[in-house]
Amino acid sequence: MIPRDLNFNYKDIFLAPRLALSGKKIFLILKGNLAGYIAYFLFSYVALMTNGKDIENIVFKYGLYPCLFGNEANWYSWVIFSFGITIWLFALLLSNSGVSRILLKQLKGNDFFSGKDSLQFVYKHWQAIILTPITLLLIVALFLIVAFAFAFLGKVPLLGQLTFPLLYIFYFFGSGFTIITIFVFLNSIFHTPSVVSIYEEDTMGSVFQLYSTTLSQTWRILLYNILLILLMLISVEIFSWFCLNSIGLISIIFGNDFFMGDQFLLINNNALSVLLPINFLEIITYYKSLIFHNVFLESGIPVVFKTSLNFSDLGNISIVGNISSVLLSAVYFIIGLSIISYGISILCVGQSLMFIIFKKLSDDDNVILRSDEDDDHEDVIIQKKFESNFEKLSQSISNKKS
């Protein structure tokens, strides 16, 4: 296995879109994304129902995209809704850790490290992946609780007025550390999968690495992430352009009167009406134009093969047509989720490359050359393959001689 040479600077971030465009990586994130979405979907519907809404009204108003924001809800409804978001986030953290592990093996020269192998690693280290951001959040909460306690002490007559100036320096340093920890916590959401999967740290080791990286590489984290986001926007736009044009070309061919004609258009429009309600489509179009206009890319790449959308003419459809529409909407949903998963894959690969760069710059530690817990197992596999091939070769030579 020949390790890949990196520049260990901003130039390596440009590798992220290409390295992220991998079936193994996108499929791994797609599975995590889909599992997280299902949990979010169920918890969101339960939250809306506990808020007094009828299931039929919820389906009619929200469809596949339930959300509690914009509603006046009880506290327990918000708790249930938050559980769905948290599970989705944890599912993405776990799948991103698998992608980081695959990337590390790829940079080491092992292109045969499978998604199943990465999931076995994630299963072994899932506690560190989940508990690292939780630990940082608990540290922030602890400091805020202590701050509230001392603030209540300040209400005590005479004692509070005397202790406030004497302890102010401790309040100042505690407040500064809390702000730093908030930044570290935000960074942990993106960096934890890389730290655990690449450096094989436990929870406390990951917390230490995140503090060390955030404090020593602050400006690089900001600048590299800005570059990564720009690359992600451009790459996802190109990827979605291919997907949309593929869908459009299918629509043009199958929608032709010589083939399925109106029957296809009816099934296609019903499927798209389930997947993309008018208000949801308008929101996507608005924010896409806003984002691309702000990065001086106007409204994205024009679509060549467009799909005709006519939600006002859905018409009467048969039972078979309804079944076809539901199945087609599921396919469209997976395609859309794949586009999102590619964007997340770019972010994950970019964060992993950043961590590798930062460790080289700060500690002169090339993690690509470090041995990891899989190396012995991989050496055994390679040795067995070599022995098997040598045995076959020897047998072949002996057969020829005989």
Side-chain angles (χ1 to χ4, degrees):
M1 296 187 296
I2 302 175
R4 182 168 189 149
D5 292 327
L6 296 178
N7 297 299
F8 297 106
N9 55 32
Y10 71 93
K11 295 177 184 177
D12 295 328
I13 305 301
F14 287 94
L15 297 172
R18 181 161 60 86
L19 292 174
L21 190 60
S22 161
K24 284 189 291 189
K25 298 185 184 77
I26 295 175
F27 183 65
L28 195 59
I29 292 179
L30 177 63
K31 289 196 292 185
N33 223 348
L34 187 59
Y37 165 78
I38 292 171
Y40 167 80
F41 180 86
L42 295 175
F43 276 96
S44 297
Y45 263 77
V46 172
L48 289 166
M49 290 171 65
T50 56
N51 199 39
K53 293 187 178 296
D54 184 69
I55 184 67
E56 292 183 4
N57 293 330
I58 297 172
V59 172
F60 178 77
K61 184 176 181 180
Y62 297 101
L64 295 173
Y65 313 103
C67 184
L68 197 60
F69 292 111
N71 294 286
E72 293 183 3
N74 301 311
W75 66 269
Y76 48 84
S77 298
W78 284 109
V79 170
I80 295 170
F81 180 71
S82 300
F83 267 118
I85 296 175
T86 304
I87 292 172
W88 198 348
L89 177 61
F90 285 161
L92 287 176
L93 283 175
L94 294 173
S95 58
N96 283 359
S97 298
V99 169
S100 294
R101 192 67 179 177
I102 292 173
L103 176 68
L104 175 65
K105 295 297 183 178
Q106 187 177 359
L107 294 176
K108 283 174 175 268
N110 182 6
D111 292 320
F112 299 100
F113 191 76
S114 66
K116 182 180 178 181
D117 295 329
S118 68
L119 288 176
Q120 288 176 351
F121 176 86
V122 170
Y123 179 76
K124 187 176 179 181
H125 296 270
W126 70 268
Q127 295 96 334
I129 300 167
I130 299 299
L131 292 178
T132 297
I134 292 176
T135 301
L136 290 165
L137 196 60
L138 289 175
I139 292 173
V140 174
L142 177 63
F143 271 84
L144 290 176
I145 291 170
V146 171
F148 293 150
F150 278 104
F152 275 113
L153 180 64
K155 294 181 66 176
V156 178
L158 191 59
L159 179 63
Q161 295 175 358
L162 290 174
T163 56
F164 177 73
L166 295 175
L167 298 176
Y168 189 84
I169 190 66
F170 297 104
Y171 300 157
F172 175 77
F173 284 115
S175 179
F177 183 77
T178 303
I179 294 171
I180 290 171
T181 305
I182 290 172
F183 282 112
V184 175
F185 166 72
L186 295 175
N187 190 33
S188 72
I189 297 173
F190 301 98
H191 251 70
T192 298
S194 306
V195 175
V196 176
S197 299
I198 293 174
Y199 226 60
E200 298 177 351
E201 292 281 14
D202 57 9
T203 302
M204 295 312 298
S206 299
V207 170
F208 173 79
Q209 291 291 344
L210 286 165
Y211 270 108
S212 175
T213 303
T214 306
L215 294 176
S216 64
Q217 306 291 335
T218 307
W219 285 109
R220 283 193 178 94
I221 290 173
L222 292 173
L223 294 175
Y224 284 12
N225 273 293
I226 291 172
L227 175 61
L228 181 63
I229 290 171
L230 288 173
L231 291 172
M232 184 198 70
L233 289 174
I234 296 170
S235 302
V236 170
E237 174 64 15
I238 294 171
F239 186 73
S240 62
W241 182 87
F242 276 102
C243 293
L244 292 174
N245 278 279
S246 298
I247 293 171
L249 184 58
I250 292 171
S251 300
I252 290 172
I253 295 172
F254 281 80
N256 190 283
D257 292 334
F258 186 75
F259 299 106
M260 292 183 68
D262 292 338
Q263 186 181 4
F264 168 80
L265 295 176
L266 192 61
I267 293 172
N268 190 55
N269 284 333
N270 273 279
L272 290 173
S273 68
V274 173
L275 185 66
L276 293 172
I278 291 294
N279 56 344
F280 188 73
L281 187 62
E282 289 174 351
I283 291 171
I284 293 175
T285 306
Y286 171 76
Y287 281 107
K288 179 185 174 182
S289 300
L290 182 65
I291 291 170
F292 277 92
H293 179 73
N294 287 334
V295 295
F296 311 108
L297 294 174
E298 296 306 322
S299 59
I301 307 174
V303 178
V304 179
F305 302 106
K306 295 184 178 180
T307 303
S308 59
L309 299 176
N310 188 6
F311 294 159
S312 60
D313 186 24
L314 296 178
N316 295 321
I317 188 168
S318 63
I319 296 175
V320 176
N322 269 317
I323 295 172
S324 298
S325 298
V326 171
L327 294 174
L328 184 60
S329 64
V331 174
Y332 282 154
F333 183 80
I334 295 298
I335 292 172
L337 205 59
S338 299
I339 295 172
I340 297 171
S341 297
Y342 174 54
I344 297 173
S345 179
I346 294 173
L347 285 177
C348 178
V349 169
Q351 298 297 328
S352 300
L353 290 171
M354 284 183 211
F355 180 71
I356 293 171
I357 294 168
F358 297 157
K359 292 305 295 181
K360 178 64 175 176
L361 294 176
S362 61
D363 302 336
D364 195 24
D365 183 6
N366 188 348
V367 298
I368 299 174
L369 302 179
R370 292 173 81 245
S371 61
D372 56 60
E373 64 182 44
D374 297 325
D375 283 348
D376 293 337
H377 177 64
E378 289 171 1
D379 289 340
V380 170
I381 292 174
I382 292 171
Q383 186 177 355
K384 284 183 178 179
K385 285 183 178 179
F386 176 77
E387 290 174 354
S388 175
N389 291 333
F390 183 76
E391 214 175 283
K392 288 178 182 177
L393 181 62
S394 301
Q395 193 174 12
S396 175
I397 292 171
S398 63
N399 289 335
K400 285 182 179 179
K401 285 182 178 180
S402 61

